[in-house]
Amino acid sequence: MKPSLISDARILELIGAYGADLAAFPEAERAGAARRIAEVPAVFAAALEEARLLDDVLGRMPDVTVSPALREALVSSAPKAKTAPVRSGTGLRRFLPGWLPAGAVASLAMGLLIGVNVSMPATVATASADDEADAVMYAALGFGDYSLMDESTQ
Amino acid sequence: MAFLSDLDQITRAAAGDPSAVAWLVDRYSPGVLGLATRMLGDRMEAEDVTQETFLRAWKALPGWEPRAKFSTWLHRVALNLCYDVLRRRRESLPGELPDMEDPGLTPHEHLLQTERVRAIEAAIAALPERQAAALTLCALQGHSQAEAAEIMETSEEALESLLARARRSLKATLAERSVA
């Protein structure tokens, strides 16, 4: 049999810390300890028995269960998914920003407002331009200077 | 595998996926609540610690980097919150043991919670806090030495020493009360 590399004192320390269940021992020392305990069981019998009593006491402790109310509280405290605004548009409209309709309405309102405000000067300007166009047209038709013709009529 | 699965669920939970959130709660809340209950010996305080632990987890999820396992991180947060509660308790009521009466239990749980269990819970909660943590993590929750040491931010050698002292103290206390 391969000699155990772990000391008896170390095995007693392990039993004192982890109890009688060798599966709870650190993995690196588990096999060596098991081998040594099997070689000389009497050396460890008392320590194992004492540890087993405490293991039994701890093993009988009931599991702590999470109540439905606590579970609900934990779940509801989590961040919620950010819901994207519903867009009815199709095709390229899906890629347009959501504020676009509001922007369009604002632009229309601005346009109407500006249009009303500049409509009067624009009318005057247009009338003046019409007179000049008439003068050019009369001159081209051989009626001479529009201003002279205008004077002769007076 | 569980590590990869955790990452996947964390990513989805951070995006607000309700099923991933429920998965994380179902997987980890019993361990966190168990640790807090054994450490504090008080169900209501343990539930408060559990809620605070998960609130911190939800905040941390969007920037989560898998330097440690999520379960290790979560238990560490819970443990530190337990230390805070115990510290406040010591400051306000020096030397007073926690009240083991538990109004938060169902009738079935009351039935299970015998005098013996209450005595053991009281004895564990009365241990020095790091001994109680080591014993709860290893002996009651089945964490490996490496996991428990990482949660407690200590070495495995120090953890072993804490465990040995915890078991000696608990044995002596229970022998006094004739529980063991």
Side-chain angles (χ1 to χ4, degrees):
Chain A
M1 183 182 276
K2 190 177 170 184
S4 300
L5 298 175
I6 188 167
S7 70
D8 292 355
R10 176 60 186 153
I11 293 172
L12 290 170
E13 280 178 4
L14 291 172
I15 294 170
Y18 301 106
D21 183 5
L22 269 60
F25 285 17
E27 197 177 346
E29 297 174 286
R30 200 177 299 154
R35 196 161 42 238
R36 182 63 184 155
I37 289 170
E39 284 169 3
V40 282
V43 173
F44 307 104
L48 285 171
E49 181 55 30
E50 195 179 355
R52 198 167 288 121
L53 286 173
L54 190 57
D55 289 347
D56 289 345
V57 168
L58 294 172
R60 283 200 297 268
M61 294 291 283
D63 287 336
V64 176
T65 55
V66 176
S67 67
L70 177 59
R71 182 187 183 278
E72 178 56 33
L74 296 175
V75 168
S76 63
S77 69
K80 306 289 181 292
K82 291 183 180 71
T83 51
V86 178
R87 293 178 191 168
S88 57
T90 56
L92 285 175
R93 286 182 63 188
R94 284 182 296 138
F95 302 104
L96 296 176
W99 47 263
L100 197 62
V105 170
S107 300
L108 179 63
M110 288 289 286
L112 286 172
L113 190 65
I114 292 167
V116 168
N117 282 339
V118 300
S119 60
M120 289 307 292
T123 307
V124 171
T126 306
S128 168
D130 286 346
D131 290 343
E132 284 183 18
D134 285 346
V136 171
M137 185 183 72
Y138 284 124
L141 291 173
F143 289 106
D145 190 278
Y146 174 74
S147 61
L148 291 175
M149 188 181 76
D150 196 38
E151 279 174 12
S152 65
T153 58
Q154 285 182 354
Chain B
M1 187 63 189
F3 190 53
L4 290 175
S5 185
D6 272 8
L7 268 180
D8 181 44
Q9 301 288 359
I10 287 165
T11 306
R12 290 169 52 210
D17 181 338
S19 66
V21 166
W23 188 90
L24 289 173
V25 167
D26 290 340
R27 184 172 173 84
Y28 294 116
S29 62
V32 169
L33 180 66
L35 175 63
T37 303
R38 301 301 181 218
M39 287 293 295
L40 302 174
D42 181 289
R43 178 68 180 242
M44 299 301 278
E45 282 183 318
E47 291 201 354
D48 288 346
V49 162
T50 304
Q51 291 204 44
E52 181 60 29
T53 301
F54 274 84
L55 272 178
R56 293 189 185 193
W58 303 144
K59 280 184 193 161
L61 287 192
W64 177 258
E65 289 180 27
R67 287 192 213 101
K69 278 170 70 178
F70 182 68
S71 66
T72 302
W73 179 85
L74 203 64
H75 280 83
R76 188 183 298 157
V77 170
L79 190 56
N80 286 330
L81 288 169
C82 288
Y83 290 156
D84 289 344
V85 171
L86 291 169
R87 200 168 298 125
R88 281 198 300 272
R89 198 187 277 170
R90 274 198 305 272
E91 285 165 5
S92 58
L93 300 163
E96 186 162 311
L97 286 175
D99 181 5
M100 288 294 114
E101 288 301 322
D102 192 343
L105 295 180
T106 64
H108 178 64
E109 286 170 326
H110 272 299
L111 201 62
L112 290 175
Q113 196 171 32
T114 59
E115 282 299 317
R116 178 186 286 259
V117 169
R118 282 207 289 270
I120 297 163
E121 283 185 333
I124 293 171
L127 288 170
E129 59 192 31
R130 289 178 65 77
Q131 290 182 28
L135 191 74
T136 301
L137 290 168
C138 290
L140 295 176
Q141 298 199 313
H143 288 278
S144 69
Q145 293 85 20
E147 282 173 342
E150 201 178 345
I151 290 168
M152 294 183 65
E153 298 180 280
T154 191
S155 66
E156 291 183 39
E157 291 76 18
L159 176 84
E160 187 177 304
S161 171
L162 287 167
L163 276 173
R165 281 182 280 153
R167 287 180 68 95
R168 275 200 300 272
S169 299
L170 192 60
K171 201 159 40 187
T173 305
L174 296 180
E176 275 176 28
R177 299 180 188 181
S178 304
V179 173

